[in-house]
Every structure is written in C-alpha cells, then in structure tokens.
Amino acid sequence: MKITERTLAEAWQRTAAGHDLLHGAALPPVARSDDALEELAEHAEEVADGGLCLVVDEDGTVRGHHGPYRQVFATRDLGQVLYLIAEDAVLRSAGGPGEAAGALDRIDPVWGRRFRGGGLDDPGTVGACGRDPLEGFAWIARSWREQAPYTTLAFFRAAPGEPVDAERLALLYGADPAQVAAGTRLKDLTAVDGGRTYADRQWESCWFGQAGGWTYLLHHDTPPGAFADKEAYRALGITESVRLSATTAKAIYTFDHDRDGRRVDDGLGMLELIWYERGRAPYPRGGELDHLNRAIRRAELDHPELTDTYALYFHALETSLGLRLPRRDVVEGEIRAAYWA
C-alpha cells in the first residue's frame, strides 16, 4: 500500500492508542515539500530540541529528518516508519539506550530486538561484548580529541592476506629512511636528551605499524610532496583506508572511509563525529554506514559505564571495521616511530 500523509497519520494513531508507553506521543510534523521541511525543522529545533520531522513524497517514500539538512531514513515500508517514529518518541523520554530498549520490548518484542540490533531488520540475539573497551581501540579516543598523540589516525589495508607494508607506507609519506631502516622505536626518540628533542619535534614525527589486519600511520602534518609518487602508492595494493582527523581549535572531528576508489559516506560528504548523540544512530538507517549504527548501538548497550561518546564510537570502529592500535607498545615505547626526513 502506498503511504500517504493520511494513511500514515491513521496508522500512527492506531499504534499510539494501542500502547500505554506511546500515549500522548504525537505524529512528528509532516512536510509536503523540502521547502516546507526547512521551516518545520527549524521550528522543531527551537521548541523540541531538534525533533524528528517527516516528508511524504508522491511515490509513498517517507523521509525522516533531524534538522532541515540531515536525513536519517527513507523507506516505503509503513512498519519501518512506525517503528522509527516510536523509537524517536521513546528515546526522548527514556533515561538512556538500555531503558529505551526495555520500553520498546514492552511495546513489541520485535521492536526491542530491532533497537538492540541497531538496524531496521531483526538480527536475532547478538552476543554481549564481555570485555573492557578501553583495552581496545577506544583507549586513544580521549587523548585524540585533544590532538594527542597525533591529530590524524590513518589506517590502510589491501586484499585479504596481502598486508600493506608499513615501512614502505611510512617512507612514502616522508619518514626518515635511515630511521625506518634502523627500526627506530618511540623509546629510541624519547631517550635522546631526556626527550626534549622529541617534545619539540613531535609535530614532525609519525608512528607506524600493523594491527588487526590494518597498517596504521599516526601523524600531524606531512612534509611537502608527500604522496607525490602515486604509482608507488598504488603499488602498495591499498584498497581501503580509514582516516580520523581532529582539529581541536575548530572542534571538528571527522571520519573518512574510502574503499575501492570511492568514499563510503551515503553521499553525505564530510562525516563529523559530533553528529553522534548517545542513543541515536549517527548515519542514515539502512545505508552503507549502517554497520557503524549497529556497532554503536551494541557499544551503548554493552557499556553503559562509558559516557564519552567518542570512546563509544571508537569501540564501534573496532568491532565493525577491526581498527586497533597497540596500547602496550605505546606505553612501553616499542611502537615504530620516525621523524619526517
């Protein structure tokens, strides 16, 4: 059945009337055009903390928006639309993702499972994490926000079973060939004059190595001419890269994912981590970044003790993409390091 504004309103009225937890939850404002959406969304931001707004297209597609420019879902499935409206309503009154999951369980067990899975389908039972996330990739999230140890955390991988050579990658970016050849480590740089030179030159240094199937390169600025040899870059066999960049002075923290020569971004362009609010999927539901929506939801439910959204996001990057950094090597100074040549 094609969704119209009338059928949507009637369906939501029946849904809300059938569940005590949804009593009083009105249908979100519905716009008949993108121009009308902008006005509605701006009003919603003023009076209801950026609440959900809907657009019903002529073909029956319902688009959900937070703000005038951020689309969070698009579907012609009436059941999905009703669930997403209910999810938004419950999140507004719940004390957190765990409480929201319980409330949705009571409305409909399928909805509860769907919420826990983070996607729009029913994933069934998902095993809990069962470990300390700060022993994984999330340990670096807090210091990275303050531009330490580096503003850029870059990861690269090639076809399965063909790791990207970390030394060749570091050299291509401009690492000192003598230090790379000598196997210089962080403790070697910090041992010189009590670490004063390293403190002065850290801005022109890098760390590199391999972990979790990825080759990583951590750095601030790179030397002029880095990446000049595009053929050498292709020769490394890189098929996928992930880059996390922090610009503290401007409060900009971005996530960039490239695979097989194209950006993985649902057409959104620059992806800022500030989009993520605890309990709310940061990316369009059902889109190509939905794996992160799912992983973030699991992190929220598995680790209610984590209040830092950046740590939760980094934990989700570990579980969904396998990103890792060797914390022990950093603490013990064993991580490979070099100055730019």
mmCIF file with all atom_site columns, all heavy atoms in Angstrom, residues 216-240:
data_model
loop_
_atom_site.group_PDB
_atom_site.id
_atom_site.type_symbol
_atom_site.label_atom_id
_atom_site.label_alt_id
_atom_site.label_comp_id
_atom_site.label_asym_id
_atom_site.label_entity_id
_atom_site.label_seq_id
_atom_site.pdbx_PDB_ins_code
_atom_site.Cartn_x
_atom_site.Cartn_y
_atom_site.Cartn_z
_atom_site.occupancy
_atom_site.B_iso_or_equiv
_atom_site.pdbx_formal_charge
_atom_site.auth_seq_id
_atom_site.auth_comp_id
_atom_site.auth_asym_id
_atom_site.auth_atom_id
_atom_site.pdbx_PDB_model_num
ATOM 1   N N   . TYR A 1 216 ? 48.728 0.988  10.115  1.00 0.00 ? 216 TYR A N   1
ATOM 2   C CA  . TYR A 1 216 ? 48.372 2.309  10.632  1.00 0.00 ? 216 TYR A CA  1
ATOM 3   C C   . TYR A 1 216 ? 49.542 3.276  10.491  1.00 0.00 ? 216 TYR A C   1
ATOM 4   O O   . TYR A 1 216 ? 50.712 2.895  10.485  1.00 0.00 ? 216 TYR A O   1
ATOM 5   C CB  . TYR A 1 216 ? 47.927 2.227  12.096  1.00 0.00 ? 216 TYR A CB  1
ATOM 6   C CG  . TYR A 1 216 ? 48.961 1.651  13.037  1.00 0.00 ? 216 TYR A CG  1
ATOM 7   C CD1 . TYR A 1 216 ? 49.964 2.460  13.582  1.00 0.00 ? 216 TYR A CD1 1
ATOM 8   C CD2 . TYR A 1 216 ? 48.931 0.305  13.397  1.00 0.00 ? 216 TYR A CD2 1
ATOM 9   C CE1 . TYR A 1 216 ? 50.914 1.936  14.431  1.00 0.00 ? 216 TYR A CE1 1
ATOM 10  C CE2 . TYR A 1 216 ? 49.875 -0.221 14.252  1.00 0.00 ? 216 TYR A CE2 1
ATOM 11  C CZ  . TYR A 1 216 ? 50.869 0.598  14.771  1.00 0.00 ? 216 TYR A CZ  1
ATOM 12  O OH  . TYR A 1 216 ? 51.820 0.073  15.610  1.00 0.00 ? 216 TYR A OH  1
ATOM 13  N N   . LEU A 1 217 ? 49.197 4.560  10.356  1.00 0.00 ? 217 LEU A N   1
ATOM 14  C CA  . LEU A 1 217 ? 50.174 5.642  10.303  1.00 0.00 ? 217 LEU A CA  1
ATOM 15  C C   . LEU A 1 217 ? 49.571 6.820  11.052  1.00 0.00 ? 217 LEU A C   1
ATOM 16  O O   . LEU A 1 217 ? 48.542 7.367  10.640  1.00 0.00 ? 217 LEU A O   1
ATOM 17  C CB  . LEU A 1 217 ? 50.486 6.026  8.859   1.00 0.00 ? 217 LEU A CB  1
ATOM 18  C CG  . LEU A 1 217 ? 51.553 7.113  8.673   1.00 0.00 ? 217 LEU A CG  1
ATOM 19  C CD1 . LEU A 1 217 ? 52.932 6.566  9.028   1.00 0.00 ? 217 LEU A CD1 1
ATOM 20  C CD2 . LEU A 1 217 ? 51.560 7.621  7.239   1.00 0.00 ? 217 LEU A CD2 1
ATOM 21  N N   . LEU A 1 218 ? 50.183 7.197  12.169  1.00 0.00 ? 218 LEU A N   1
ATOM 22  C CA  . LEU A 1 218 ? 49.703 8.281  13.004  1.00 0.00 ? 218 LEU A CA  1
ATOM 23  C C   . LEU A 1 218 ? 50.628 9.475  12.821  1.00 0.00 ? 218 LEU A C   1
ATOM 24  O O   . LEU A 1 218 ? 51.858 9.336  12.900  1.00 0.00 ? 218 LEU A O   1
ATOM 25  C CB  . LEU A 1 218 ? 49.692 7.861  14.476  1.00 0.00 ? 218 LEU A CB  1
ATOM 26  C CG  . LEU A 1 218 ? 48.548 6.977  14.978  1.00 0.00 ? 218 LEU A CG  1
ATOM 27  C CD1 . LEU A 1 218 ? 48.362 5.718  14.149  1.00 0.00 ? 218 LEU A CD1 1
ATOM 28  C CD2 . LEU A 1 218 ? 48.776 6.615  16.441  1.00 0.00 ? 218 LEU A CD2 1
ATOM 29  N N   . HIS A 1 219 ? 50.049 10.660 12.602  1.00 0.00 ? 219 HIS A N   1
ATOM 30  C CA  . HIS A 1 219 ? 50.888 11.823 12.344  1.00 0.00 ? 219 HIS A CA  1
ATOM 31  C C   . HIS A 1 219 ? 50.096 13.111 12.513  1.00 0.00 ? 219 HIS A C   1
ATOM 32  O O   . HIS A 1 219 ? 48.867 13.102 12.661  1.00 0.00 ? 219 HIS A O   1
ATOM 33  C CB  . HIS A 1 219 ? 51.459 11.755 10.924  1.00 0.00 ? 219 HIS A CB  1
ATOM 34  C CG  . HIS A 1 219 ? 50.420 11.724 9.844   1.00 0.00 ? 219 HIS A CG  1
ATOM 35  N ND1 . HIS A 1 219 ? 49.864 12.860 9.293   1.00 0.00 ? 219 HIS A ND1 1
ATOM 36  C CD2 . HIS A 1 219 ? 49.814 10.674 9.216   1.00 0.00 ? 219 HIS A CD2 1
ATOM 37  C CE1 . HIS A 1 219 ? 48.979 12.524 8.366   1.00 0.00 ? 219 HIS A CE1 1
ATOM 38  N NE2 . HIS A 1 219 ? 48.918 11.207 8.304   1.00 0.00 ? 219 HIS A NE2 1
ATOM 39  N N   . HIS A 1 220 ? 50.824 14.232 12.493  1.00 0.00 ? 220 HIS A N   1
ATOM 40  C CA  . HIS A 1 220 ? 50.213 15.559 12.411  1.00 0.00 ? 220 HIS A CA  1
ATOM 41  C C   . HIS A 1 220 ? 50.307 15.979 10.940  1.00 0.00 ? 220 HIS A C   1
ATOM 42  O O   . HIS A 1 220 ? 49.753 15.326 10.070  1.00 0.00 ? 220 HIS A O   1
ATOM 43  C CB  . HIS A 1 220 ? 50.936 16.543 13.341  1.00 0.00 ? 220 HIS A CB  1
ATOM 44  C CG  . HIS A 1 220 ? 50.702 16.294 14.793  1.00 0.00 ? 220 HIS A CG  1
ATOM 45  N ND1 . HIS A 1 220 ? 49.455 16.295 15.359  1.00 0.00 ? 220 HIS A ND1 1
ATOM 46  C CD2 . HIS A 1 220 ? 51.575 16.028 15.812  1.00 0.00 ? 220 HIS A CD2 1
ATOM 47  C CE1 . HIS A 1 220 ? 49.541 16.060 16.653  1.00 0.00 ? 220 HIS A CE1 1
ATOM 48  N NE2 . HIS A 1 220 ? 50.821 15.887 16.953  1.00 0.00 ? 220 HIS A NE2 1
ATOM 49  N N   . ASP A 1 221 ? 51.006 17.051 10.666  1.00 0.00 ? 221 ASP A N   1
ATOM 50  C CA  . ASP A 1 221 ? 51.207 17.470 9.272   1.00 0.00 ? 221 ASP A CA  1
ATOM 51  C C   . ASP A 1 221 ? 52.190 16.528 8.580   1.00 0.00 ? 221 ASP A C   1
ATOM 52  O O   . ASP A 1 221 ? 53.025 15.879 9.226   1.00 0.00 ? 221 ASP A O   1
ATOM 53  C CB  . ASP A 1 221 ? 51.774 18.895 9.221   1.00 0.00 ? 221 ASP A CB  1
ATOM 54  C CG  . ASP A 1 221 ? 50.734 19.928 9.631   1.00 0.00 ? 221 ASP A CG  1
ATOM 55  O OD1 . ASP A 1 221 ? 49.535 19.600 9.580   1.00 0.00 ? 221 ASP A OD1 1
ATOM 56  O OD2 . ASP A 1 221 ? 51.136 21.035 10.014  1.00 0.00 ? 221 ASP A OD2 1
ATOM 57  N N   . THR A 1 222 ? 52.104 16.457 7.268   1.00 0.00 ? 222 THR A N   1
ATOM 58  C CA  . THR A 1 222 ? 53.060 15.670 6.490   1.00 0.00 ? 222 THR A CA  1
ATOM 59  C C   . THR A 1 222 ? 53.937 16.613 5.671   1.00 0.00 ? 222 THR A C   1
ATOM 60  O O   . THR A 1 222 ? 53.551 17.737 5.389   1.00 0.00 ? 222 THR A O   1
ATOM 61  C CB  . THR A 1 222 ? 52.341 14.687 5.541   1.00 0.00 ? 222 THR A CB  1
ATOM 62  O OG1 . THR A 1 222 ? 51.411 15.428 4.748   1.00 0.00 ? 222 THR A OG1 1
ATOM 63  C CG2 . THR A 1 222 ? 51.591 13.634 6.331   1.00 0.00 ? 222 THR A CG2 1
ATOM 64  N N   . PRO A 1 223 ? 55.130 16.162 5.279   1.00 0.00 ? 223 PRO A N   1
ATOM 65  C CA  . PRO A 1 223 ? 56.048 17.041 4.547   1.00 0.00 ? 223 PRO A CA  1
ATOM 66  C C   . PRO A 1 223 ? 55.509 17.418 3.174   1.00 0.00 ? 223 PRO A C   1
ATOM 67  O O   . PRO A 1 223 ? 54.701 16.689 2.590   1.00 0.00 ? 223 PRO A O   1
ATOM 68  C CB  . PRO A 1 223 ? 57.318 16.189 4.401   1.00 0.00 ? 223 PRO A CB  1
ATOM 69  C CG  . PRO A 1 223 ? 57.160 15.053 5.336   1.00 0.00 ? 223 PRO A CG  1
ATOM 70  C CD  . PRO A 1 223 ? 55.695 14.834 5.508   1.00 0.00 ? 223 PRO A CD  1
ATOM 71  N N   . PRO A 1 224 ? 55.942 18.551 2.645   1.00 0.00 ? 224 PRO A N   1
ATOM 72  C CA  . PRO A 1 224 ? 55.562 18.904 1.270   1.00 0.00 ? 224 PRO A CA  1
ATOM 73  C C   . PRO A 1 224 ? 56.004 17.813 0.305   1.00 0.00 ? 224 PRO A C   1
ATOM 74  O O   . PRO A 1 224 ? 57.091 17.247 0.440   1.00 0.00 ? 224 PRO A O   1
ATOM 75  C CB  . PRO A 1 224 ? 56.336 20.206 1.015   1.00 0.00 ? 224 PRO A CB  1
ATOM 76  C CG  . PRO A 1 224 ? 56.601 20.763 2.374   1.00 0.00 ? 224 PRO A CG  1
ATOM 77  C CD  . PRO A 1 224 ? 56.790 19.568 3.270   1.00 0.00 ? 224 PRO A CD  1
ATOM 78  N N   . GLY A 1 225 ? 55.135 17.469 -0.620  1.00 0.00 ? 225 GLY A N   1
ATOM 79  C CA  . GLY A 1 225 ? 55.485 16.453 -1.603  1.00 0.00 ? 225 GLY A CA  1
ATOM 80  C C   . GLY A 1 225 ? 55.101 15.046 -1.212  1.00 0.00 ? 225 GLY A C   1
ATOM 81  O O   . GLY A 1 225 ? 55.295 14.107 -1.988  1.00 0.00 ? 225 GLY A O   1
ATOM 82  N N   . ALA A 1 226 ? 54.564 14.859 -0.005  1.00 0.00 ? 226 ALA A N   1
ATOM 83  C CA  . ALA A 1 226 ? 54.091 13.522 0.364   1.00 0.00 ? 226 ALA A CA  1
ATOM 84  C C   . ALA A 1 226 ? 53.030 13.079 -0.635  1.00 0.00 ? 226 ALA A C   1
ATOM 85  O O   . ALA A 1 226 ? 52.227 13.883 -1.098  1.00 0.00 ? 226 ALA A O   1
ATOM 86  C CB  . ALA A 1 226 ? 53.517 13.545 1.781   1.00 0.00 ? 226 ALA A CB  1
ATOM 87  N N   . PHE A 1 227 ? 52.990 11.810 -0.971  1.00 0.00 ? 227 PHE A N   1
ATOM 88  C CA  . PHE A 1 227 ? 52.076 11.193 -1.943  1.00 0.00 ? 227 PHE A CA  1
ATOM 89  C C   . PHE A 1 227 ? 52.392 11.602 -3.383  1.00 0.00 ? 227 PHE A C   1
ATOM 90  O O   . PHE A 1 227 ? 51.620 11.360 -4.287  1.00 0.00 ? 227 PHE A O   1
ATOM 91  C CB  . PHE A 1 227 ? 50.591 11.522 -1.705  1.00 0.00 ? 227 PHE A CB  1
ATOM 92  C CG  . PHE A 1 227 ? 50.176 11.561 -0.269  1.00 0.00 ? 227 PHE A CG  1
ATOM 93  C CD1 . PHE A 1 227 ? 49.822 12.748 0.336   1.00 0.00 ? 227 PHE A CD1 1
ATOM 94  C CD2 . PHE A 1 227 ? 50.158 10.421 0.491   1.00 0.00 ? 227 PHE A CD2 1
ATOM 95  C CE1 . PHE A 1 227 ? 49.442 12.788 1.659   1.00 0.00 ? 227 PHE A CE1 1
ATOM 96  C CE2 . PHE A 1 227 ? 49.785 10.450 1.817   1.00 0.00 ? 227 PHE A CE2 1
ATOM 97  C CZ  . PHE A 1 227 ? 49.432 11.646 2.401   1.00 0.00 ? 227 PHE A CZ  1
ATOM 98  N N   . ALA A 1 228 ? 53.529 12.243 -3.607  1.00 0.00 ? 228 ALA A N   1
ATOM 99  C CA  . ALA A 1 228 ? 53.833 12.675 -4.979  1.00 0.00 ? 228 ALA A CA  1
ATOM 100 C C   . ALA A 1 228 ? 53.916 11.488 -5.919  1.00 0.00 ? 228 ALA A C   1
ATOM 101 O O   . ALA A 1 228 ? 53.557 11.587 -7.095  1.00 0.00 ? 228 ALA A O   1
ATOM 102 C CB  . ALA A 1 228 ? 55.129 13.475 -5.009  1.00 0.00 ? 228 ALA A CB  1
ATOM 103 N N   . ASP A 1 229 ? 54.393 10.355 -5.419  1.00 0.00 ? 229 ASP A N   1
ATOM 104 C CA  . ASP A 1 229 ? 54.554 9.172  -6.259  1.00 0.00 ? 229 ASP A CA  1
ATOM 105 C C   . ASP A 1 229 ? 53.294 8.323  -6.180  1.00 0.00 ? 229 ASP A C   1
ATOM 106 O O   . ASP A 1 229 ? 53.189 7.381  -5.396  1.00 0.00 ? 229 ASP A O   1
ATOM 107 C CB  . ASP A 1 229 ? 55.774 8.370  -5.806  1.00 0.00 ? 229 ASP A CB  1
ATOM 108 C CG  . ASP A 1 229 ? 56.187 7.320  -6.825  1.00 0.00 ? 229 ASP A CG  1
ATOM 109 O OD1 . ASP A 1 229 ? 55.333 6.941  -7.647  1.00 0.00 ? 229 ASP A OD1 1
ATOM 110 O OD2 . ASP A 1 229 ? 57.340 6.885  -6.791  1.00 0.00 ? 229 ASP A OD2 1
ATOM 111 N N   . LYS A 1 230 ? 52.314 8.664  -6.995  1.00 0.00 ? 230 LYS A N   1
ATOM 112 C CA  . LYS A 1 230 ? 51.039 7.953  -6.972  1.00 0.00 ? 230 LYS A CA  1
ATOM 113 C C   . LYS A 1 230 ? 51.191 6.496  -7.397  1.00 0.00 ? 230 LYS A C   1
ATOM 114 O O   . LYS A 1 230 ? 50.485 5.612  -6.919  1.00 0.00 ? 230 LYS A O   1
ATOM 115 C CB  . LYS A 1 230 ? 50.028 8.655  -7.884  1.00 0.00 ? 230 LYS A CB  1
ATOM 116 C CG  . LYS A 1 230 ? 49.716 10.101 -7.482  1.00 0.00 ? 230 LYS A CG  1
ATOM 117 C CD  . LYS A 1 230 ? 49.096 10.167 -6.102  1.00 0.00 ? 230 LYS A CD  1
ATOM 118 C CE  . LYS A 1 230 ? 48.703 11.600 -5.745  1.00 0.00 ? 230 LYS A CE  1
ATOM 119 N NZ  . LYS A 1 230 ? 48.130 11.703 -4.389  1.00 0.00 ? 230 LYS A NZ  1
ATOM 120 N N   . GLU A 1 231 ? 52.125 6.245  -8.305  1.00 0.00 ? 231 GLU A N   1
ATOM 121 C CA  . GLU A 1 231 ? 52.340 4.862  -8.753  1.00 0.00 ? 231 GLU A CA  1
ATOM 122 C C   . GLU A 1 231 ? 52.859 4.003  -7.608  1.00 0.00 ? 231 GLU A C   1
ATOM 123 O O   . GLU A 1 231 ? 52.444 2.856  -7.440  1.00 0.00 ? 231 GLU A O   1
ATOM 124 C CB  . GLU A 1 231 ? 53.332 4.849  -9.921  1.00 0.00 ? 231 GLU A CB  1
ATOM 125 C CG  . GLU A 1 231 ? 53.494 3.476  -10.554 1.00 0.00 ? 231 GLU A CG  1
ATOM 126 C CD  . GLU A 1 231 ? 54.360 3.515  -11.802 1.00 0.00 ? 231 GLU A CD  1
ATOM 127 O OE1 . GLU A 1 231 ? 54.354 4.548  -12.501 1.00 0.00 ? 231 GLU A OE1 1
ATOM 128 O OE2 . GLU A 1 231 ? 55.032 2.492  -12.060 1.00 0.00 ? 231 GLU A OE2 1
ATOM 129 N N   . ALA A 1 232 ? 53.754 4.577  -6.790  1.00 0.00 ? 232 ALA A N   1
ATOM 130 C CA  . ALA A 1 232 ? 54.264 3.840  -5.642  1.00 0.00 ? 232 ALA A CA  1
ATOM 131 C C   . ALA A 1 232 ? 53.149 3.578  -4.632  1.00 0.00 ? 232 ALA A C   1
ATOM 132 O O   . ALA A 1 232 ? 53.107 2.514  -3.997  1.00 0.00 ? 232 ALA A O   1
ATOM 133 C CB  . ALA A 1 232 ? 55.402 4.621  -4.992  1.00 0.00 ? 232 ALA A CB  1
ATOM 134 N N   . TYR A 1 233 ? 52.242 4.529  -4.484  1.00 0.00 ? 233 TYR A N   1
ATOM 135 C CA  . TYR A 1 233 ? 51.108 4.365  -3.584  1.00 0.00 ? 233 TYR A CA  1
ATOM 136 C C   . TYR A 1 233 ? 50.232 3.200  -4.049  1.00 0.00 ? 233 TYR A C   1
ATOM 137 O O   . TYR A 1 233 ? 49.853 2.334  -3.258  1.00 0.00 ? 233 TYR A O   1
ATOM 138 C CB  . TYR A 1 233 ? 50.314 5.662  -3.534  1.00 0.00 ? 233 TYR A CB  1
ATOM 139 C CG  . TYR A 1 233 ? 49.217 5.700  -2.503  1.00 0.00 ? 233 TYR A CG  1
ATOM 140 C CD1 . TYR A 1 233 ? 49.475 6.050  -1.186  1.00 0.00 ? 233 TYR A CD1 1
ATOM 141 C CD2 . TYR A 1 233 ? 47.901 5.388  -2.852  1.00 0.00 ? 233 TYR A CD2 1
ATOM 142 C CE1 . TYR A 1 233 ? 48.465 6.098  -0.241  1.00 0.00 ? 233 TYR A CE1 1
ATOM 143 C CE2 . TYR A 1 233 ? 46.884 5.434  -1.913  1.00 0.00 ? 233 TYR A CE2 1
ATOM 144 C CZ  . TYR A 1 233 ? 47.174 5.793  -0.603  1.00 0.00 ? 233 TYR A CZ  1
ATOM 145 O OH  . TYR A 1 233 ? 46.163 5.823  0.325   1.00 0.00 ? 233 TYR A OH  1
ATOM 146 N N   . ARG A 1 234 ? 49.943 3.166  -5.356  1.00 0.00 ? 234 ARG A N   1
ATOM 147 C CA  . ARG A 1 234 ? 49.125 2.065  -5.895  1.00 0.00 ? 234 ARG A CA  1
ATOM 148 C C   . ARG A 1 234 ? 49.842 0.733  -5.752  1.00 0.00 ? 234 ARG A C   1
ATOM 149 O O   . ARG A 1 234 ? 49.205 -0.306 -5.553  1.00 0.00 ? 234 ARG A O   1
ATOM 150 C CB  . ARG A 1 234 ? 48.787 2.335  -7.359  1.00 0.00 ? 234 ARG A CB  1
ATOM 151 C CG  . ARG A 1 234 ? 47.729 3.422  -7.576  1.00 0.00 ? 234 ARG A CG  1
ATOM 152 C CD  . ARG A 1 234 ? 47.230 3.412  -9.022  1.00 0.00 ? 234 ARG A CD  1
ATOM 153 N NE  . ARG A 1 234 ? 48.300 3.783  -9.941  1.00 0.00 ? 234 ARG A NE  1
ATOM 154 C CZ  . ARG A 1 234 ? 48.557 5.025  -10.315 1.00 0.00 ? 234 ARG A CZ  1
ATOM 155 N NH1 . ARG A 1 234 ? 47.832 6.019  -9.829  1.00 0.00 ? 234 ARG A NH1 1
ATOM 156 N NH2 . ARG A 1 234 ? 49.535 5.284  -11.156 1.00 0.00 ? 234 ARG A NH2 1
ATOM 157 N N   . ALA A 1 235 ? 51.178 0.760  -5.845  1.00 0.00 ? 235 ALA A N   1
ATOM 158 C CA  . ALA A 1 235 ? 51.946 -0.484 -5.747  1.00 0.00 ? 235 ALA A CA  1
ATOM 159 C C   . ALA A 1 235 ? 51.838 -1.122 -4.366  1.00 0.00 ? 235 ALA A C   1
ATOM 160 O O   . ALA A 1 235 ? 52.098 -2.318 -4.209  1.00 0.00 ? 235 ALA A O   1
ATOM 161 C CB  . ALA A 1 235 ? 53.408 -0.209 -6.089  1.00 0.00 ? 235 ALA A CB  1
ATOM 162 N N   . LEU A 1 236 ? 51.456 -0.340 -3.366  1.00 0.00 ? 236 LEU A N   1
ATOM 163 C CA  . LEU A 1 236 ? 51.274 -0.899 -2.032  1.00 0.00 ? 236 LEU A CA  1
ATOM 164 C C   . LEU A 1 236 ? 50.031 -1.785 -1.964  1.00 0.00 ? 236 LEU A C   1
ATOM 165 O O   . LEU A 1 236 ? 49.830 -2.499 -0.982  1.00 0.00 ? 236 LEU A O   1
ATOM 166 C CB  . LEU A 1 236 ? 51.157 0.227  -1.006  1.00 0.00 ? 236 LEU A CB  1
ATOM 167 C CG  . LEU A 1 236 ? 52.443 1.007  -0.713  1.00 0.00 ? 236 LEU A CG  1
ATOM 168 C CD1 . LEU A 1 236 ? 52.139 2.232  0.137   1.00 0.00 ? 236 LEU A CD1 1
ATOM 169 C CD2 . LEU A 1 236 ? 53.459 0.123  -0.017  1.00 0.00 ? 236 LEU A CD2 1
ATOM 170 N N   . GLY A 1 237 ? 49.185 -1.729 -2.986  1.00 0.00 ? 237 GLY A N   1
ATOM 171 C CA  . GLY A 1 237 ? 47.998 -2.585 -3.034  1.00 0.00 ? 237 GLY A CA  1
ATOM 172 C C   . GLY A 1 237 ? 46.851 -2.112 -2.180  1.00 0.00 ? 237 GLY A C   1
ATOM 173 O O   . GLY A 1 237 ? 45.920 -2.881 -1.888  1.00 0.00 ? 237 GLY A O   1
ATOM 174 N N   . ILE A 1 238 ? 46.853 -0.846 -1.770  1.00 0.00 ? 238 ILE A N   1
ATOM 175 C CA  . ILE A 1 238 ? 45.812 -0.333 -0.876  1.00 0.00 ? 238 ILE A CA  1
ATOM 176 C C   . ILE A 1 238 ? 44.450 -0.332 -1.578  1.00 0.00 ? 238 ILE A C   1
ATOM 177 O O   . ILE A 1 238 ? 44.299 0.206  -2.665  1.00 0.00 ? 238 ILE A O   1
ATOM 178 C CB  . ILE A 1 238 ? 46.159 1.092  -0.405  1.00 0.00 ? 238 ILE A CB  1
ATOM 179 C CG1 . ILE A 1 238 ? 47.415 1.057  0.467   1.00 0.00 ? 238 ILE A CG1 1
ATOM 180 C CG2 . ILE A 1 238 ? 44.994 1.707  0.379   1.00 0.00 ? 238 ILE A CG2 1
ATOM 181 C CD1 . ILE A 1 238 ? 47.981 2.427  0.780   1.00 0.00 ? 238 ILE A CD1 1
ATOM 182 N N   . THR A 1 239 ? 43.483 -0.960 -0.959  1.00 0.00 ? 239 THR A N   1
ATOM 183 C CA  . THR A 1 239 ? 42.116 -0.970 -1.488  1.00 0.00 ? 239 THR A CA  1
ATOM 184 C C   . THR A 1 239 ? 41.140 -0.253 -0.566  1.00 0.00 ? 239 THR A C   1
ATOM 185 O O   . THR A 1 239 ? 40.007 0.048  -0.964  1.00 0.00 ? 239 THR A O   1
ATOM 186 C CB  . THR A 1 239 ? 41.616 -2.412 -1.692  1.00 0.00 ? 239 THR A CB  1
ATOM 187 O OG1 . THR A 1 239 ? 41.638 -3.105 -0.426  1.00 0.00 ? 239 THR A OG1 1
ATOM 188 C CG2 . THR A 1 239 ? 42.499 -3.163 -2.682  1.00 0.00 ? 239 THR A CG2 1
ATOM 189 N N   . GLU A 1 240 ? 41.571 0.016  0.668   1.00 0.00 ? 240 GLU A N   1
ATOM 190 C CA  . GLU A 1 240 ? 40.663 0.609  1.643   1.00 0.00 ? 240 GLU A CA  1
ATOM 191 C C   . GLU A 1 240 ? 41.461 1.438  2.639   1.00 0.00 ? 240 GLU A C   1
ATOM 192 O O   . GLU A 1 240 ? 42.568 1.067  3.031   1.00 0.00 ? 240 GLU A O   1
ATOM 193 C CB  . GLU A 1 240 ? 39.900 -0.502 2.372   1.00 0.00 ? 240 GLU A CB  1
ATOM 194 C CG  . GLU A 1 240 ? 38.793 -0.034 3.270   1.00 0.00 ? 240 GLU A CG  1
ATOM 195 C CD  . GLU A 1 240 ? 37.969 -1.187 3.840   1.00 0.00 ? 240 GLU A CD  1
ATOM 196 O OE1 . GLU A 1 240 ? 38.394 -2.352 3.676   1.00 0.00 ? 240 GLU A OE1 1
ATOM 197 O OE2 . GLU A 1 240 ? 36.918 -0.913 4.445   1.00 0.00 ? 240 GLU A OE2 1
#
